Amino acid sequence: MDGGNQSIVSEFVLLGLAHSWNMQILLFLISFMLYLVTVSGNILIMILVITDSHLHSPMYFLLANLSFVDMLLSSNTTPKMITDFLKENKTISFGGCMSQIFFSHLIAGLEMVLLVVMAYDRYVAICKPLHYSTIMRLQRCIGLVVTAWTTGFVHAMSQIVVIVRLPFCGPREVDSFFCDRPLVIKLACMDSYKLKILMNIDCGVVAITCFILLLISYTYILVTVLQSSKTGASKALSTCTAHATVVVLFFGPCIFIYVWPLNITWLDKFLAVFYSVITPLLNPAIYTLRNKEMKNAIKRFRSYYMDSKISA
C-alpha cells in the first residue's frame, strides 16, 4: 500500500439479490415503487417544514434534515440496484464503487449524530422546558447539524483513504447489490484480517458513542417523565416514541453490517436492503403517522392546494 493505488481491477461485478429473471422483474417493480414512495415522502416532509409556519421549530428543522439524509441514503444505492435488475451484467466502475462506499459511511455517520442531536432536542424540551427556546436557538441548531455533517465526512474519509489504496488485482465479484465495504475489502490481494478489525473498530467508535449518548438522553427523559404528571408523561412519551423507533430501526442493521458483521450471506443482504431501502421509507411514515402536528400540516397543505386549484 506504500506505492499508492496498485489496483488493476477497473470495475467490479455485483452479484445482486436474485438469479431468476422472473424474481428480478418482481424485485424491480417492488424496489421502484418503494423508492418513489421514499423520495416522495421525504420531500413532502421537507416541503411541509419549510412552508408551514406551525412547523418552524427546532424539532421540525432537525426532522427536515433527517428526511434529506434519508433521501440521500436511499439514493446512494437503490437507483443502481433498480437498474441492475434489468441487466444481465451488473458491473460498477472502480470509481463508482468507491463513491458508494464513501457516501454509505458519510450518510451513516451523519445520521447517527443527527439522531443524537434530535434526542438532545427532546431532552431539552422535556427536562428543561423553560430554557428550551434559549438553548435550542437557530444558530445552535445549525451548528449541531454542521457538526453532524463534519463527523460523517471525517468518518467516511477515514474509511475511503485506506480502501482506495488497497491492491485489487484479481477477484472482482461483490456478493451484494452494492459495494459493501466488508465485501470489497475481502477482494483485496492481501491479508485483510487486521484491516477488517481496524475498520470495524473505526465504525464501532462512532456507532457506540452515538448509541451511548442516545441512552443517556432517553434515561434522563424517562426519569423526568416518571416524576411528572400522567398527562405530561403521556405527551412526552408520545413525542419520543417515533424518534426511539427510528433509532432502533437505523442502528440495528447498521451495527450488524459494519460493526459486528454476522458473515451470513443471505442475512447480510437482507440487513443491507432493510438499511438502505426500508429504513428511509419507514422514517417519514413513522413521523407523519405518529405526529399530530405533521398530520395537521398535511391537512393544511391539502386544503391550501385544493383552494388554489379551485380559484384557478
Side-chain angles (χ1 to χ4, degrees):
M1 286 173 24
D2 294 335
N5 187 357
Q6 305 172 37
S7 302
I8 296 175
V9 172
S10 61
E11 64 179 16
F12 294 94
V13 177
L14 302 174
L15 298 184
L17 298 175
H19 300 290
S20 165
W21 177 249
N22 291 334
M23 180 58 72
Q24 291 194 75
I25 293 297
L26 177 62
L27 290 174
F28 165 79
L29 294 173
I30 294 173
S31 301
F32 182 69
M33 292 303 298
L34 289 177
Y35 181 65
L36 286 181
V37 173
T38 299
V39 172
S40 301
N42 283 298
I43 288 177
L44 175 62
I45 289 178
M46 289 187 287
I47 290 174
L48 290 175
V49 172
I50 293 170
T51 60
D52 196 319
S53 59
H54 295 84
L55 302 181
H56 290 174
S57 67
M59 174 182 170
Y60 295 105
F61 170 76
L62 297 173
L63 176 57
N65 278 274
L66 180 65
S67 292
F68 179 70
V69 175
D70 278 331
M71 196 164 60
L72 292 180
L73 172 61
S74 181
S75 299
N76 182 42
T77 57
T78 306
K80 171 67 175 169
M81 178 187 71
I82 292 171
T83 56
D84 279 349
F85 282 133
L86 303 179
K87 296 179 182 177
E88 185 175 348
N89 297 317
K90 302 172 177 59
T91 59
I92 184 170
S93 67
F94 181 84
C97 184
M98 295 301 112
S99 295
Q100 281 194 340
I101 294 174
F102 174 80
F103 284 107
S104 292
H105 288 274
L106 168 66
I107 295 164
L110 165 59
E111 182 148 348
M112 285 181 185
V113 178
L114 191 56
L115 288 172
V116 172
V117 173
M118 293 178 74
Y120 175 69
D121 171 72
R122 292 300 83 207
Y123 157 75
V124 176
I126 294 169
C127 301
K128 299 183 178 182
L130 298 179
H131 302 285
Y132 181 76
S133 59
T134 304
I135 296 174
M136 296 304 295
R137 58 188 185 276
L138 180 60
Q139 292 86 346
R140 176 162 293 178
C141 289
I142 293 173
L144 290 171
V145 170
V146 170
T147 300
W149 276 94
T150 303
T151 303
F153 179 78
V154 171
H155 169 63
M157 286 299 295
S158 71
Q159 298 275 316
I160 200 66
V161 294
V162 176
I163 298 172
V164 77
R165 292 172 60 84
L166 292 177
F168 297 102
C169 54
R172 62 193 189 105
E173 290 186 343
V174 180
D175 193 5
S176 185
F177 62 93
F178 76 108
C179 281
D180 202 0
R181 186 260 292 164
L183 298 178
V184 173
I185 290 179
K186 191 185 296 183
L187 301 179
C189 302
M190 57 174 283
D191 183 3
S192 59
Y193 177 74
K194 291 182 180 179
L195 180 60
K196 289 178 185 176
I197 293 176
L198 290 174
M199 291 290 197
N200 289 345
I201 291 173
D202 183 23
C203 291
V205 168
V206 178
I208 293 172
T209 301
C210 290
F211 196 68
I212 290 173
L213 291 173
L214 284 165
L215 287 177
I216 292 172
S217 297
Y218 279 108
T219 299
Y220 276 108
I221 289 172
L222 286 174
V223 170
T224 304
V225 164
L226 291 173
Q227 294 173 349
S228 64
S229 64
K230 289 186 177 180
T231 304
S234 176
K235 185 177 180 180
L237 287 175
S238 176
T239 304
C240 294
T241 300
H243 183 255
T245 304
V246 169
V247 167
V248 172
L249 291 173
F250 180 81
F251 271 85
C254 198
I255 286 174
F256 285 113
I257 292 172
Y258 296 112
V259 181
W260 188 15
L262 299 173
N263 296 320
I264 303 173
T265 302
W266 69 267
L267 185 56
D268 288 343
K269 287 185 178 182
F270 170 77
L271 290 173
V273 171
F274 190 90
Y275 167 72
S276 58
V277 179
I278 306 300
T279 300
L281 170 66
L282 290 178
N283 287 359
I286 290 169
Y287 279 112
T288 52
L289 294 177
R290 295 190 60 88
N291 189 297
K292 185 178 178 180
E293 279 297 323
M294 288 299 298
K295 287 190 282 188
N296 289 336
I298 292 173
K299 290 178 183 176
R300 288 191 293 269
F301 181 78
R302 188 187 304 160
S303 299
Y304 175 79
Y305 175 77
M306 292 301 294
D307 291 343
S308 300
K309 195 173 182 181
I310 292 172
S311 58

